[in-house]
Amino acid sequence: MVATPDAVHNSIKPGRWVRSTCKMCLHSCTNLIHVTDDGVINKVEGDPTNPSNRGKLCPKGNSAIMRHYDPNRFTQPLKRTNPEKGPNIDPKWVPISWDEALTLVADKLKDCLQTDPRRIIPSLEDFQKMNIWVWPLAFGNFNFFQSGGTMCGGAYHPVNGYVHSAFAAANDPKYCNFWLNNGTGDGFSSHLHAAAQSSWVADARVERGMRCVTVEPRFSISAAKSEEWVPIRPATDRQFALSMCHVMVSEGWCDYKSLRKDTNAPYLVGDDGYFIRNADGKTYVWDSVDNRAKLWDDPSVGEAALEGGAWTVEGKPCKPAFQRFRDILADCSPEAMEKLTTVPPATVRRLAKEMYDAAGIAADAKIEIDGRVMPLRPAAYNYYRGAQGHKLGFQANHAFKMVNFLLGCIDAPGGHLGVTLDDQWVDHSHIAPGENGMIKPTPHQLGPVPPFAYPPNTFQLMDYFPVGVHPPHLNLEVFLNPEKYGVEFRPDTMIICHSNPIWAMQGPREKWFEFMRSMKFIAVSDIIPTETTQWADVILPSHDMFESWNMTMIEPPHTEGMCMRQPAVEPLYNTKSEEDIFSDLAERIGVLDSYNEVLNFALGFVQKPELKLQPGIKYTDKEIARRKGLLWNGKDLDWYVEHGHAVTERRLDKWYRPWEGMRLHFYIEDMVGIRDDLKQKMEAAKVPFRHEWAWEDYQPLPTPRLDPVHSEPPEYDLYGMFFKDIQINFGESLSNPWIQDIVYRDPVHIALMLNPKTAAKQGLKPLDIVKVESPYGKIFGRIGVSEGWHPDALGVSNALSRAKIHSKGIKHAGGHFNDLLPYDLRNTDGVTGQPETVCKVRITKLPDWPEHLKMGGSVYDLVDELAKPGKGRKH
Amino acid sequence: MAINDLPIVGDSFALGYRFQRYWDTPMANAFFFGELGAGLFFVSLLLGSAQGMLAGLLITGLLKTYFHLSHMGVPKRSWRAIMRPDRSWVSRGLLGIVGLMGFGGATVLIAWTGILAPDSLLVLLLKFAAGAAALVVMTYQGLAMSHSTAIAFWNTGLMPVASLAYAMTGGVMLLLAAVPESAQSLLPVALLLHLCIAAILLSMLHAARHGSPGARKSAELLTRTTYAKWFLVLVCGAGVLLPVLLLWLAGSVPTVALTAAAGTLAGYYTFRLLVFKAGVYEPIMSFRP
Amino acid sequence: MARYGMVFDLKRCIGCNACVVACKQENALPEGVFFTRTLSEEYGVYPAVNRVYIPTLCNHCEDAPCEKVCPSGATYTRPDGIVMVNPETCIGCGSCAVACPYDQRSEMKAESFKDGLFGTGELTPFEQQGYPRYTPGMVTKCDFCSGRVDAGLDPACVVTCPTEARIFGDLDDPESKPSQLIRERNGRPPLPEKNTRPKVYYID
């Protein structure tokens, strides 16, 4: 790019441009970093050569420089000298050398390894660096204490693993004509590669007239840009989806051809929930032409029945899996579901018809792309955190998939597609054949899970979630009731990196503080002070995104390929890369070789032996990045330094119907098998809490059973729900002055939001100070009203979530919404560990703020200043 | 109309009316003293009072200058304000002030020292020039405001008329209070001027109520909401009604005249300030039906 | 000679304010100063609610009132239509600010240059290299990233917009993207009754 010697605009001052990857959220838009001749980073732009974000950056990506130059950044390793720990207590850091810091940490870790490695609780949460995430596997530790991803992904990832054999999922904006968003901001404000996805969706809407419908309790950005907003009561999306399915199945608005050919919907299922199998384990279908059962791959099958039964096959009464779903749907009419969802039945019926019509099923629409002819199904049901984050999470995700199954749009052009996390090498197919013509399900999208054990080997009871994602909130449940869960170890040592669980873990902060106080030693690696660094005994400061190397591909929709991060400048301070810190620690505690082996598997280097990490060597961030790049496309770092990334549009055979010729898991039989296996193991081990384990959560088909949130005591009369928008999601940005500038000027992020009629009924006015209580915790805040809220909802933005800590940069409000959430087993998905993310609340008006919040510097103080006429604000 | 439903929004990113606060209290002070001093000078010039002229020059020269400089973003460059008399009322006004100080100062000096005869041509020309300059200074601020399509309430030809009327009224009332003997000639002028002010205020509000949305919002602020108390009590009550009553009933009594003058000036100052405070930018568009 | 203008596509804008932050980056804007803002208007009664996101910036009016009232001549229009403010001659009188019907002027308060973005009284290296462009106390605004435009680039806000809701180009070229959009989708300027002849148009 051009530079002008006397330029006043930053991007054209003399300097150089560095190709790199953004780290302001966990995704990986690539960027261009401008460094002046004086070595100052003065502009960050999107990289136009990347077909994903195509030169664009969201506001977080644009604000990165103010993270780099944040004066609150850790500048060197620190040791705590104040033994008293608390959220707003000065740790009285003293600077120490790296050697002293690493020795301190390593000594504590060694002590644990020698006595009981389970004393260590790791919280290593950098999604862009899975090599750090898997570090504890080097010593067989499966403890887990990070808040990122469990509220949005607890059940989401396992179900995507079952249905798409992928990590995430998104609608296809290239061909979709009817895009339904349920509890997600995909394409507008959030989720996959926001800058990229919103660009694709805007093009689809404006250039192709794609119709959008948003189903959610709040009038979100997605709703504002959609042709239709369907308000829905919080935590009822599963029932809405099932009511859609009810209509589609009753009216015959389904892609029966796809169900028959591409899924296990016709497979015969016995009353015990298992497929009917012959002696060789092969499954059956019912041929409605010959009117008898045949093996699933019998070429003589005329038409495999989807409905009907009960027939007797192999001596057992059975029905097709589809019929079993139809039976469940009998209770899911829009009229029946309206009582819960408040969505008018006419709306459900109309949407079902519109989606069916838009999907082109009647005409069996086809499309030819690159010589391959495929079904064109340009109508799809998209969903994410808001819709899936509930106790019956597995069933919720499954229910949303069912709409797409019925539309025949799973992985079809224009439809709802699986998105992989990190393909690692270009030819890596995420699809493998499973049994009986079905794809091999891959629910463990985030790595291996610990085997069953009693007494438990993990503090968060992951030993009992064979299909799940770690449930870190259960750490608190077990901490408060160790005898009940029979844990024979007490964790007392934490190692935390790029993670802030004290900010966001669900459950009351006070109880989490007890948990932290029970720790004898806490080491934290981070860039800036957070709610969690407050508790550290040692701070190990790490490089930021302008000072380090990385190579990552992380759940990009529509594209694939490694994105490289390279240092743009020398580190500003005495920091180290996370790789240096953790390989050094690994060496000091004697697990370096084991760690390198873990990495060889986790990062896929076993695919190319010349890339394997060798014993005894501490690999730097640069070396690991180089290997990941070589693994992807055989190109060395110099190629990546020149190109910045290897991103291309996703290879079509990996993107559209990558399982062609195989069958998808419409019916998830694993739920029955895994449940029975787990039950049997728990029985054999006489696990004391086995009788309260939620066996009924394991369902091969989604049901309309209510989540327990709906049966809280009636005095809790509103549904509290949490939300974010593009300025503040998937990463920490609230400490950034540029993000504060835009978030706290946005009317939706500056108050606890109510529908005006609801506020009036409760006797509340805007600016009233209130206490919000759930059966589990409480927060404080100030009321705002907007017509864009379901009357039963209280909306709490993430912008109000920070706590007062010893750093000036962060504006506290009245407590994190997640303080209101339960952390118990009753509100946890027995299948996946997914926690409930909605709560029933009641509101009490207060005459004034409670004493502990009257300390100035809050969000509300800032909002009041901005409300005053005039320009600018004080700090 | 629907656009009226939009709120005043401070510095948030919600669509709505925004108060203008670029010209705030220091600028209001500068306007007030600038016009008052010029008005006092002008009336004194007509009545032949050298002390009055001097007082007026001092008010404008010292107080207006001080407050205007304290408002400026880059005070040490303020001399540049004189650069565009072809387009800018501020430039013209500054020239006017220079002229007023120069011609007016010379007039006062000559009157004091008696160097030249009061009816000599040069003195007459000086007086004429000084008077013209005073007229410019009395009206230019109102003219500058009237050109603003941004602050709709200011966008009326009544603004410079209000400036002129208030300036003259202020000058007259100051003289009335300081020189009780002038009551004979000044009382009817004072009453008339106050009635003019009343008429101007009423017209201004009437035009605003039926004008563009920003003007309507300002009128609402002045008569019904945020600034209503100040406007009605000080500007209308103390500034017009009270002086009219007092002058009518006992204007020749010095203390009464003094009280009336205090009322007039309080009303005048409040007017100057409120016209700034109640000025709003209109929302640039609205989609509500 | 080009005549530069911009089009805002209200159908595309998602109110993310990436443009606002890109502008703050590009122009090293001090605390509380915005050269562009994306506003939102919410209206209607539940459940028939609407919200529109409305980007705004200096309209670089052909008949710029800010230029007409500027007593020092610091505000001037380039031949290509970009309305500029000379930091050497601006006296910070604010006449432009009260003349702009769109409230697009910003005062660069002297305290902001001292306090810094983090309020510590110390400027980050980013601020140190960026602030000298301004005279503390001046009143200024968006300049369509004039330096970038001279270098053949689009303004920073345009380049970063994830949904391509901001389109910049030569209004005198009938085939330029903004000209086409104004024609095809009925582009209209804001507050036309103020007679400033803005060169920024809105389409929806």
Side-chain angles (χ1 to χ4, degrees):
Chain A
M1 274 203 221
V2 294
T4 321
D6 51 353
V8 298
H9 298 88
N10 281 344
S11 61
I12 51 168
K13 287 179 181 162
R16 64 196 160 88
W17 286 94
V18 176
R19 305 199 108 93
S20 191
T21 298
C22 185
K23 185 60 198 70
M24 291 304 283
C25 85
L26 63 84
H27 291 125
S28 59
C29 297
T30 58
N31 58 15
L32 297 167
I33 301 168
H34 188 254
V35 186
T36 66
D37 284 343
D38 297 324
V40 178
I41 301 178
N42 72 351
K43 185 84 199 293
V44 176
E45 297 184 6
D47 181 351
T49 68
N50 186 332
S52 179
N53 63 305
R54 304 189 289 178
K56 295 121 178 43
L57 283 183
C58 79
K60 303 186 294 292
N62 268 292
S63 71
I65 295 178
M66 280 306 129
R67 167 73 48 83
H68 182 62
Y69 290 122
D70 187 331
N72 295 297
R73 268 186 75 181
F74 292 120
T75 59
Q76 61 197 41
L78 300 169
K79 182 173 79 171
R80 159 186 291 274
T81 57
N82 183 357
E84 201 193 336
K85 289 183 180 178
N88 199 15
I89 296 176
D90 182 0
K92 300 209 173 90
W93 302 120
V94 296
I96 53 177
S97 71
W98 270 106
D99 190 53
E100 188 185 337
L102 291 167
T103 306
L104 252 171
V105 177
D107 283 350
K108 297 282 191 253
L109 292 173
K110 258 197 298 229
D111 184 58
C112 291
L113 291 186
Q114 276 150 17
T115 54
D116 186 341
R118 298 170 304 181
R119 284 169 54 199
I120 301 172
I121 293 241
S123 181
L124 311 175
E125 202 173 333
D126 190 341
F127 256 105
Q128 281 194 12
K129 284 184 188 270
M130 296 304 283
N131 47 312
I132 304 298
W133 189 300
V134 299
W135 184 81
L137 296 181
F139 45 93
N141 181 309
F142 280 98
N143 284 336
F144 186 101
F145 180 51
Q146 49 229 58
S147 62
T150 64
M151 276 159 276
C152 56
Y156 178 73
H157 298 307
V159 174
N160 285 325
Y162 270 107
V163 173
H164 306 274
S165 187
F167 184 74
N171 287 0
D172 176 15
K174 208 160 191 184
Y175 298 105
C176 187
N177 291 330
F178 192 112
W179 178 304
L180 189 148
N181 259 355
N182 176 211
T184 175
D186 250 308
F188 302 98
S189 62
S190 14
H191 203 201
L192 300 174
H193 294 248
Q197 183 90 307
S198 55
S199 160
W200 296 86
V201 167
D203 284 348
R205 289 173 51 238
V206 176
E207 288 163 18
R208 225 176 51 245
M210 178 174 81
R211 182 181 165 81
C212 293
V213 174
T214 298
V215 181
E216 74 150 286
R218 78 173 176 119
F219 192 70
S220 59
I221 300 176
S222 176
K225 309 310 288 188
S226 291
E227 275 69 35
E228 183 177 356
W229 173 45
V230 179
I232 187 172
R233 182 181 275 147
T236 65
D237 311 90
R238 169 167 46 94
Q239 286 82 359
F240 169 79
L242 289 173
S243 70
M244 292 274 285
C245 292
H246 171 103
V247 173
M248 293 166 79
V249 165
S250 312
E251 303 287 344
W253 298 335
C254 304
D255 188 344
Y256 294 107
K257 183 168 158 198
S258 165
L259 287 163
R260 280 196 178 91
K261 187 172 83 62
D262 297 329
T263 81
N264 62 9
Y267 286 14
L268 297 177
V269 177
D271 290 342
D272 58 0
Y274 287 95
F275 290 133
I276 304 295
R277 286 182 166 80
N278 70 3
D280 297 323
K282 290 188 80 162
T283 54
Y284 285 91
V285 300
W286 187 269
D287 184 352
S288 51
V289 171
D290 281 352
N291 205 32
R292 60 183 177 89
K294 291 179 181 170
L295 293 177
W296 73 271
D297 56 354
D298 188 330
S300 77
V301 172
E303 182 180 89
L306 289 170
E307 298 176 6
W311 304 294
T312 303
V313 179
E314 299 280 350
K316 300 183 186 140
C318 58
K319 297 178 187 180
F322 186 84
Q323 179 63 50
R324 297 233 174 249
F325 186 47
R326 195 176 173 148
D327 293 342
I328 292 170
L329 290 177
D331 296 329
C332 303
S333 71
E335 290 73 18
M337 297 291 95
E338 183 192 15
K339 295 184 199 50
L340 186 69
T341 64
T342 74
V343 178
T347 304
V348 177
R349 291 183 187 283
R350 176 175 49 78
L351 285 175
K353 182 75 182 16
E354 285 172 359
M355 290 195 84
Y356 172 71
D357 287 341
I361 295 165
D364 194 14
K366 293 237 186 324
I367 185 171
E368 182 178 330
I369 305 175
D370 273 10
R372 187 174 161 213
V373 177
M374 293 173 282
L376 174 68
R377 295 286 178 268
Y381 189 114
N382 197 35
Y383 65 93
Y384 188 41
R385 185 213 194 273
Q388 80 89 35
H390 304 294
K391 146 53 170 196
L392 289 172
F394 194 97
Q395 292 184 37
N397 284 276
H398 199 180
F400 309 132
K401 297 295 186 203
M402 286 316 214
V403 178
N404 291 315
F405 269 121
L406 299 181
L407 290 171
C409 73
I410 299 270
D411 296 321
H416 184 71
L417 283 72
V419 173
T420 53
L421 178 61
D422 179 350
D423 284 2
Q424 296 183 333
W425 62 99
V426 166
D427 295 318
H428 186 183
S429 168
H430 55 291
I431 305 293
E435 48 128 357
N436 284 302
M438 298 179 279
I439 64 170
K440 176 161 179 277
T442 54
H444 304 122
Q445 289 285 324
L446 273 168
V449 295
F452 171 88
Y454 185 79
N457 277 324
T458 70
F459 209 60
Q460 77 279 11
L461 305 181
M462 192 56 194
D463 320 64
Y464 314 107
F465 295 97
V467 146
V469 170
H470 294 276
H473 59 288
L474 292 183
N475 279 298
L476 189 59
E477 170 69 16
V478 173
F479 170 70
L480 295 171
N481 308 284
E483 291 76 34
K484 171 176 177 186
Y485 296 101
V487 279
E488 292 177 340
F489 60 97
R490 294 288 180 272
D492 58 20
T493 305
M494 274 186 173
I495 173 95
I496 302 178
C497 176
H498 190 286
S499 175
N500 190 2
I502 297 306
W503 173 21
M505 197 68 77
Q506 54 268 58
R509 274 334 87 183
E510 297 307 317
K511 295 214 168 109
W512 282 111
F513 297 158
E514 275 180 55
F515 181 61
M516 297 302 276
R517 286 194 184 99
S518 76
M519 296 293 144
K520 293 211 187 82
F521 184 80
I522 302 174
V524 181
S525 176
D526 210 319
I527 299 172
I528 53 172
T530 68
E531 287 84 343
T532 298
T533 62
Q534 275 296 111
W535 295 85
D537 291 290
V538 173
I539 298 284
L540 305 167
S542 57
H543 293 338
D544 73 3
M545 71 183 238
F546 296 104
E547 302 163 339
S548 52
W549 289 90
N550 197 33
M551 190 70 71
T552 188
M553 169 181 158
I554 168 146
E555 49 172 10
H558 334 300
T559 59
E560 59 182 30
M562 285 296 154
C563 302
M564 177 212 59
R565 183 202 311 172
Q566 61 170 314
V569 291
E570 288 296 308
L572 283 181
Y573 307 115
N574 183 10
T575 54
K576 278 183 186 284
S577 73
E578 287 157 353
E579 284 79 355
D580 277 354
I581 293 171
F582 282 88
S583 62
D584 201 307
L585 283 173
E587 184 184 51
R588 285 167 187 257
I589 65 177
V591 301
L592 179 61
D593 295 351
S594 172
Y595 179 43
N596 285 348
E597 263 312 285
V598 167
L599 289 182
N600 284 334
F601 279 96
L603 299 181
F605 297 152
V606 290
Q607 295 299 318
K608 285 203 182 146
E610 68 272 22
L611 297 178
K612 281 177 69 168
L613 305 183
Q614 299 305 313
I617 302 180
K618 293 185 288 191
Y619 289 87
T620 63
D621 55 348
K622 185 173 181 181
E623 285 155 357
I624 293 184
R626 180 174 161 266
R627 278 167 174 74
K628 288 196 74 178
L630 280 165
L631 180 62
W632 174 255
N633 62 354
K635 298 278 195 256
D636 211 325
L637 259 190
D638 52 350
W639 184 92
Y640 277 94
V641 165
E642 190 196 330
H643 291 87
H645 61 86
V647 176
T648 59
E649 286 212 9
R650 189 145 173 82
R651 231 168 65 179
L652 295 178
D653 60 330
K654 288 200 276 176
W655 185 225
Y656 293 127
R657 299 173 62 97
W659 38 261
E660 190 75 70
M662 294 183 239
R663 289 171 181 270
L664 299 173
H665 295 267
F666 173 93
Y667 184 89
I668 304 183
E669 191 203 32
D670 259 13
M671 287 295 99
V672 190
I674 290 175
R675 176 200 68 199
D676 288 347
D677 180 66
L678 181 63
K679 218 176 193 177
Q680 181 248 324
K681 286 192 170 103
M682 277 200 175
E683 190 61 40
K686 297 267 178 288
V687 174
F689 48 90
R690 67 191 181 282
H691 301 300
E692 74 176 85
W693 204 256
W695 305 113
E696 65 279 10
D697 292 357
Y698 280 91
Q699 294 291 337
L701 292 166
T703 73
R705 192 176 122 227
L706 290 184
D707 290 301
V709 65
H710 298 289
S711 4
E712 301 288 15
E715 65 262 29
Y716 299 99
D717 53 346
L718 291 173
Y719 286 86
M721 58 164 272
F722 188 64
F723 67 96
K724 305 176 185 180
D725 276 328
I726 193 171
Q727 317 93 319
I728 51 177
N729 55 15
F730 274 123
E732 189 284 319
S733 61
L734 286 167
S735 59
N736 191 305
W738 284 340
I739 295 296
Q740 290 182 14
D741 273 344
I742 61 176
V743 160
Y744 297 123
R745 284 179 169 79
D746 186 335
V748 312
H749 292 296
I750 58 174
L752 305 178
M753 300 302 291
L754 286 174
N755 182 295
K757 288 209 178 68
T758 307
K761 254 199 284 190
Q762 303 240 343
L764 296 169
K765 290 183 325 292
L767 302 183
D768 277 352
I769 298 170
V770 296
K771 176 172 66 169
V772 177
E773 288 169 290
S774 77
Y776 311 100
K778 63 177 182 292
I779 62 171
F780 300 88
R782 217 159 69 167
I783 293 290
V785 298
S786 151
E787 298 282 351
W789 280 94
H790 190 280
D792 294 344
L794 170 77
V796 183
S797 164
N798 184 41
L800 305 172
S801 66
R802 302 307 294 269
K804 179 90 182 76
I805 60 170
H806 231 72
S807 159
K808 279 210 295 205
I810 302 173
K811 303 251 166 257
H812 65 99
H816 198 304
F817 172 85
N818 290 355
D819 281 28
L820 300 168
L821 293 177
Y823 54 88
D824 57 9
L825 277 178
R826 177 170 164 265
N827 285 284
T828 302
D829 185 7
V831 180
T832 63
Q834 170 68 46
E836 178 59 63
T837 62
V838 161
C839 55
K840 294 296 293 284
V841 296
R842 67 170 175 214
I843 304 180
T844 313
K845 184 165 143 145
L846 298 176
D848 195 4
W849 292 104
E851 282 311 308
H852 74 277
L853 289 174
K854 280 193 194 166
M855 50 188 148
S858 77
V859 170
Y860 300 109
D861 293 325
L862 173 59
V863 169
D864 286 343
E865 251 187 76
L866 293 176
K868 287 197 210 120
K871 317 295 164 180
R873 61 176 167 96
K874 299 187 209 62
H875 302 282
Chain B
M1 234 202 359
I3 200 167
N4 280 2
D5 299 336
L6 283 165
I8 299 178
V9 294
D11 205 13
S12 99
F13 282 177
L15 186 73
Y17 297 88
R18 289 162 62 99
F19 280 121
Q20 83 73 26
R21 284 290 176 270
Y22 296 99
W23 285 4
D24 209 353
T25 309
M27 193 64 154
N29 297 346
F31 273 38
F32 174 73
F33 288 118
E35 287 168 4
L36 182 65
L40 177 59
F41 176 88
F42 190 76
V43 175
S44 304
L45 180 69
L46 290 176
L47 289 176
S49 162
Q51 289 111 316
M53 283 195 277
L54 182 63
L57 289 177
L58 286 173
I59 290 173
T60 299
L62 293 177
L63 291 173
K64 187 248 190 332
T65 307
Y66 170 76
F67 282 111
H68 208 146
L69 283 175
S70 74
H71 154 82
M72 293 294 244
V74 197
K76 55 181 163 28
R77 280 194 203 151
S78 301
W79 61 270
R80 286 189 179 271
I82 218 161
M83 297 296 272
R84 297 305 305 260
D86 57 322
R87 313 176 81 160
S88 157
W89 274 111
V90 173
S91 292
R92 295 168 189 160
L94 185 51
L95 280 170
I97 289 175
V98 170
L100 177 65
M101 293 301 129
F103 299 130
T107 305
V108 169
L109 204 61
I110 288 172
W112 224 299
T113 57
I115 284 183
L116 293 169
D119 55 355
S120 69
L121 184 63
L122 186 59
V123 172
L124 282 172
L125 282 172
L126 271 175
K127 283 185 183 171
F128 194 81
L135 275 170
V136 170
V137 177
M138 280 191 278
T139 55
Y140 92 90
Q141 288 167 164
L143 280 164
M145 287 170 73
S146 72
H147 275 258
S148 170
T149 52
I151 314 298
F153 187 69
W154 300 355
N155 192 214
T156 162
L158 287 167
M159 264 308 159
V161 176
S163 287
L164 181 65
Y166 262 120
M168 303 257 276
T169 313
V172 164
M173 293 306 285
L174 275 175
L175 272 182
L176 198 61
V179 186
E181 302 79 45
S182 62
Q184 188 78 10
S185 45
L186 285 182
L187 260 179
V189 178
L191 277 166
L192 195 62
L193 281 172
H194 279 89
L195 289 176
C196 284
I197 287 174
I200 290 167
L201 289 175
L202 283 168
S203 299
M204 219 179 246
L205 286 170
H206 175 81
R209 279 223 188 80
H210 301 276
S212 89
R216 267 180 272 139
K217 189 58 89 173
S218 295
E220 186 187 297
L221 285 162
L222 289 171
T223 57
R224 283 195 286 130
T225 57
T226 314
Y227 299 112
K229 275 206 245 346
W230 297 97
F231 183 75
L232 295 169
V233 169
L234 285 178
V235 178
C236 304
V240 176
L241 272 169
L242 180 72
V244 164
L245 274 168
L246 289 177
L247 290 175
W248 184 300
L249 295 173
S252 41
V253 177
T255 40
V256 173
L258 189 63
T259 312
T264 305
L265 290 177
Y268 177 18
Y269 178 75
T270 308
F271 171 81
R272 273 269 75 86
L273 189 60
L274 287 186
V275 162
F276 281 178
K277 292 285 192 191
V280 294
Y281 294 96
E282 290 173 13
I284 59 162
M285 58 183 64
S286 175
F287 291 89
R288 53 192 62 204
Chain C
M1 177 90 316
R3 189 170 63 99
Y4 289 116
M6 206 178 278
V7 170
F8 289 139
D9 187 343
L10 297 179
K11 190 157 183 194
R12 287 178 174 265
C13 179
I14 51 174
C16 72
N17 281 290
C19 49
V20 175
V21 185
C23 174
K24 278 186 174 277
Q25 272 201 85
E26 185 71 48
N27 296 297
L29 297 182
E31 174 73 81
V33 174
F34 299 89
F35 282 179
T36 182
R37 296 175 177 81
T38 299
L39 310 177
S40 67
E41 182 186 24
E42 189 177 288
Y43 59 97
V45 176
Y46 177 87
V49 184
N50 296 274
R51 193 187 302 125
V52 187
Y53 297 104
I54 306 168
T56 67
L57 87 184
C58 167
N59 295 290
H60 294 269
C61 304
E62 307 231 59
D63 218 350
C66 61
E67 185 178 351
K68 284 205 287 245
V69 303
C70 177
S72 70
T75 301
Y76 64 97
T77 305
R78 292 182 2 163
D80 60 5
I82 299 182
V83 181
M84 306 282 291
V85 179
N86 185 341
E88 303 303 314
T89 54
C90 173
I91 61 177
C93 72
S95 302
C96 55
V98 298
C100 175
Y102 310 100
D103 188 21
Q104 286 299 328
R105 286 285 183 146
S106 290
E107 186 187 345
M108 299 277 188
K109 293 207 174 105
E111 310 89 70
S112 315
F113 291 101
K114 289 199 215 80
D115 293 344
L117 287 172
F118 288 91
T120 57
E122 276 185 48
L123 300 183
T124 62
F126 172 85
E127 293 167 276
Q128 284 169 29
Q129 62 85 46
Y131 286 170
R133 170 183 175 187
Y134 304 110
T135 301
M138 72 183 288
V139 179
T140 184
K141 66 186 189 61
C142 156
D143 71 339
F144 270 172
C145 286
S146 55
R148 286 178 60 99
V149 171
D150 291 339
L153 303 167
D154 276 344
C157 60
V158 172
V159 159
T160 206
C161 176
T163 56
E164 291 182 14
R166 303 169 82 107
I167 304 100
F168 178 80
D170 181 3
L171 296 180
D172 276 348
D173 173 8
E175 297 316 307
S176 74
K177 195 100 186 287
S179 296
Q180 284 179 22
L181 286 170
I182 293 166
R183 218 168 41 232
E184 289 159 13
R185 288 175 57 189
N186 197 24
R188 48 186 206 288
L191 298 177
E193 66 273 17
K194 303 291 183 184
N195 296 316
T196 62
R197 298 202 287 142
K199 294 209 292 295
V200 172
Y201 292 80
Y202 290 81
I203 59 176
D204 56 13

